[in-house]
Amino acid sequence: VVGILGAGSASTAPFLAGFREGLRDAGYIEGQNVVIEAQWAEGHYDRLPVLAAELVHRPAAIIVASSLPSVFAAKAATSTIPIVFISSGDPVQLGIVASLNRPGGNITGVNFFAVEVASKRLELLIEVVPRVTVIGLLTNPNNPRTGVEIGQLQAAARTAGKQILIVEAGSERDFDVAFETLVQERASAVLIPTEPLFFGWRERLVALAARHALPAMYDVREFTAAGGLLSYGLSLTDTYRLIAGQVARILKGAKPADLPILQPTKLELVVNLRTAKTLGVTIPESFLLRADEVIE
């Protein structure tokens, strides 16, 4: 049994196709020699400890923790069952592992340094809407990575002569008020960072950005495919495929402590020209030439 502990919702399930494909390539086929059991917190992070305990008692042979809140819950639940994580913050700095090359303990995984990538997203958003002065940042105060990301983005914004306006949303009920605050405080663009809660409600967030005519930058192409203006980040399918490789190595006898933390190298820039037209935003030709995908 391979357990998946997700802080978000089952809407992440399509990307599990990459996970299943990676397992299949390694000889593990669902329903034949492996069972995948997923537990989703639906954005309610306080549920994660109970869900992690259920996977431990199952017992799962391995737990895949698909976000930082999931990693901390899984780590608190077991020190013996291998944990393979997807982390959006520095796992050494956060105290999850001893080092990137030799994690130690029962944990390894994939880290994509979302905090560092966030500054690049800000840079790209400013390139598309250069006259913007106040940029909103939607944050989830329940995510342990939030403080680090805010600090880095504020520093990058000051360097660019811009101001970051922070609005919080700890649940989907906070979204409407958050966007109303952005408009009231005269934000003219918004950053939606890597966050399981936000991903699970991506269509609603895209709709709110459209309703308030706010150019928005997101972390993965699924937001842009749903009508968002811009996204810059990892391919979730490829990331889950990397995770599957780590899981397969452990199932074949490798120790998590000895498996280096992997770091994906490919980031994709996606532009939705239809949304740009609706917002009256002109995307520079040089920007479009750098895009990995242009949705027309």
Side-chain angles (χ1 to χ4, degrees), residues 14-232:
F15 312 111
L16 294 184
F19 183 68
R20 292 185 174 93
E21 184 179 312
L23 286 179
R24 190 165 55 248
D25 290 344
Y28 294 98
I29 300 171
E30 189 175 13
Q32 292 186 18
N33 56 358
V34 69
V35 173
I36 298 173
E37 184 170 310
Q39 298 277 16
W40 304 104
E42 303 290 342
H44 301 281
Y45 295 170
D46 56 333
R47 297 178 185 171
L48 286 167
V50 172
L51 298 177
E54 289 179 7
L55 290 174
V56 170
H57 293 141
R58 174 78 165 85
I62 294 177
I63 295 175
V64 175
S66 66
S67 66
L68 268 180
S70 303
V71 178
F72 287 114
K75 187 176 182 181
T78 179
S79 59
T80 55
I81 295 175
I83 298 168
V84 181
F85 65 75
I86 304 172
S87 171
S88 53
D90 186 335
V92 177
Q93 183 182 7
L94 290 165
I96 297 170
V97 297
S99 76
L100 296 179
N101 289 329
R102 294 185 64 83
N106 62 321
I107 303 179
T108 188
V110 173
N111 176 48
F112 56 94
F113 293 99
V115 174
E116 289 80 358
V117 176
S119 296
K120 181 63 177 179
R121 288 195 192 105
L122 175 64
E123 177 187 320
L124 291 167
L125 179 59
I126 292 171
E127 188 175 344
V128 168
V129 283
R131 294 183 180 179
V132 65
T133 55
V134 180
I135 300 170
L137 173 65
L138 187 66
T139 66
N140 183 349
N142 302 318
N143 193 316
R145 192 200 72 245
T146 297
V148 178
E149 186 164 7
I150 288 174
Q152 184 146 341
L153 282 169
Q154 286 177 324
R158 280 194 298 271
T159 301
K162 312 295 181 182
Q163 177 188 344
I164 293 289
L165 173 66
I166 300 163
V167 291
E168 294 185 344
S171 77
E172 68 277 11
R173 294 185 299 274
D174 302 326
F175 292 159
D176 287 313
V177 172
F179 272 82
E180 287 166 8
T181 301
L182 289 175
V183 173
Q184 289 166 4
E185 298 296 325
R186 301 187 182 281
S188 46
V190 61
L191 282 165
I192 310 292
T194 301
E195 166 59 49
L197 172 67
F198 301 161
F199 184 84
W201 292 89
R202 58 191 177 280
E203 291 185 357
R204 181 160 167 209
L205 289 172
V206 166
L208 281 167
R211 183 191 307 169
H212 295 286
L214 287 171
M217 166 64 86
Y218 306 91
D219 65 324
V220 289
R221 76 168 300 281
E222 284 66 33
F223 282 93
T224 319
L229 177 63
L230 303 166
S231 63
Y232 179 71

